[in-house]
């Protein structure tokens, strides 16, 4: 059975004093470690939305095969946000397990089959979609760091950290895929600044 969500009001004024409610009803400052963690996950999700929009413009086609994967990841990141937003026993039913990690690893393996091994660092550049995948990758890494900071202070589901780590790996491999499987990657040139 699918549960429907109804949002009657977007403007609540509840956060005007710099606090917000967690999923269990407790109030926390908007800059707390927990709010910063799930807020950065939300930011990473928004980056994926821009990446999905760029898939059509970069190749002149719609329905890119990775779009469905990215759509699934966007929904998954809402699950991550729910896991982080409801601390303690009340959120037990929201906890992720490692099944999504295995799914992302399978996507990475499938993409890597078409890519040659790297022998240099890759710059975040190339096609529009590849560059956007790199932006999403770096924001996903920041989300991971924020969750690790939270885990040092409070209980956090370890599957969330593993998933965010794998998602940033996936986005790196996806960026190479979007650069003609690495053939159009822009590679780091050591000492390039001194040659100018």
């Amino acid at each position: 059975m699918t549960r429907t969500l109804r949002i009657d009001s977007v403007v609540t004024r509840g956060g005007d004093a710099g606090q917000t409610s967690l999923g269990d009803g407790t109030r926390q400052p908007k800059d707390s470690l927990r709010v910063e963690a799930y807020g950065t996950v939300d930011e990473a999700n928004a980056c994926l939305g821009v990446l999905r929009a760029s898939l059509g413009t970069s190749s002149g086609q719609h329905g890119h095969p990775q779009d469905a994967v990215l759509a699934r990841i966007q929904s998954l990141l809402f699950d991550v946000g729910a896991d982080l937003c409801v601390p303690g026993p009340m959120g037990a039913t929201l906890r992720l397990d490692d099944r999504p990690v295995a799914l992302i690893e399978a996507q990475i393996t499938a993409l890597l089959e078409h890519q040659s091994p790297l022998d240099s660092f890759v710059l975040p550049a190339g096609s529009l979609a590849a560059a956007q995948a790199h932006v999403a990758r770096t924001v996903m890494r920041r989300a991971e760091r924020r969750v690790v900071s939270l885990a040092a202070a409070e209980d956090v589901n370890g599957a969330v950290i593993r998933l965010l780590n794998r998602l940033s790996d996936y986005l790196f491999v996806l960026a190479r895929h979007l650069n003609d499987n690495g053939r159009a990657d822009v590679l780091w040139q050591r000492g390039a600044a001194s040659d100018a």
Side-chain angles (χ1 to χ4, degrees), residues 7-187:
I7 300 173
D8 294 318
S9 178
V10 174
V11 179
T12 64
R13 297 181 180 83
D16 289 354
Q19 290 197 329
T20 191
S21 293
L22 298 181
D24 65 357
T26 59
R27 303 284 291 170
Q28 281 201 353
K30 289 188 175 188
D31 63 351
S32 72
L33 289 173
R34 186 167 293 277
V35 176
E36 181 66 24
Y38 69 72
T40 309
V41 169
D42 187 36
E43 188 180 347
N45 203 341
C47 288
L48 292 183
V50 177
L51 170 57
R52 291 182 66 200
S54 74
L55 288 177
T57 59
S58 68
S59 62
Q61 65 181 14
H62 294 284
H64 190 283
Q66 288 298 308
D67 184 65
V69 177
L70 290 166
R72 189 170 182 184
I73 291 170
Q74 283 195 289
S75 288
L76 182 57
L77 287 176
F78 261 82
D79 295 337
V80 169
D83 191 313
L84 293 169
C85 183
V86 187
M90 186 175 183
T93 59
L94 300 171
R95 300 293 174 250
L96 293 170
D97 58 28
D98 278 319
R99 284 177 291 183
V101 173
L103 291 172
I104 299 305
E105 287 176 349
Q107 287 297 321
I108 292 169
T109 300
L111 289 174
L112 281 173
E113 286 178 6
H114 306 285
Q115 298 176 12
S116 0
L118 282 167
D119 55 10
S120 177
F121 290 108
V122 174
L123 298 181
S127 70
L128 174 63
Q132 188 55 50
H134 280 296
V135 171
R137 170 185 61 79
T138 61
V139 176
M140 197 71 71
R141 283 283 187 218
R142 181 155 42 90
E144 179 188 2
R145 292 192 303 271
R146 296 298 184 265
V147 174
V148 167
S149 294
L150 173 62
E154 301 180 38
D155 285 339
V156 169
N157 178 2
V160 167
I161 297 171
R162 290 186 290 277
L163 177 60
L164 294 174
N165 183 277
R166 263 359 148 271
L167 285 172
S168 58
D169 293 340
Y170 162 75
L171 289 165
F172 177 79
V173 173
L174 178 62
R176 297 198 70 218
H177 170 74
L178 295 170
N179 271 341
D180 194 17
N181 280 316
R183 288 181 284 278
D185 279 342
V186 180
L187 302 180

Side-chain angles (χ1 to χ4, degrees), residues 120 187-195:
S120 177
L187 302 180
W188 168 61
Q189 301 295 318
R190 183 177 177 83
S194 61
D195 294 341

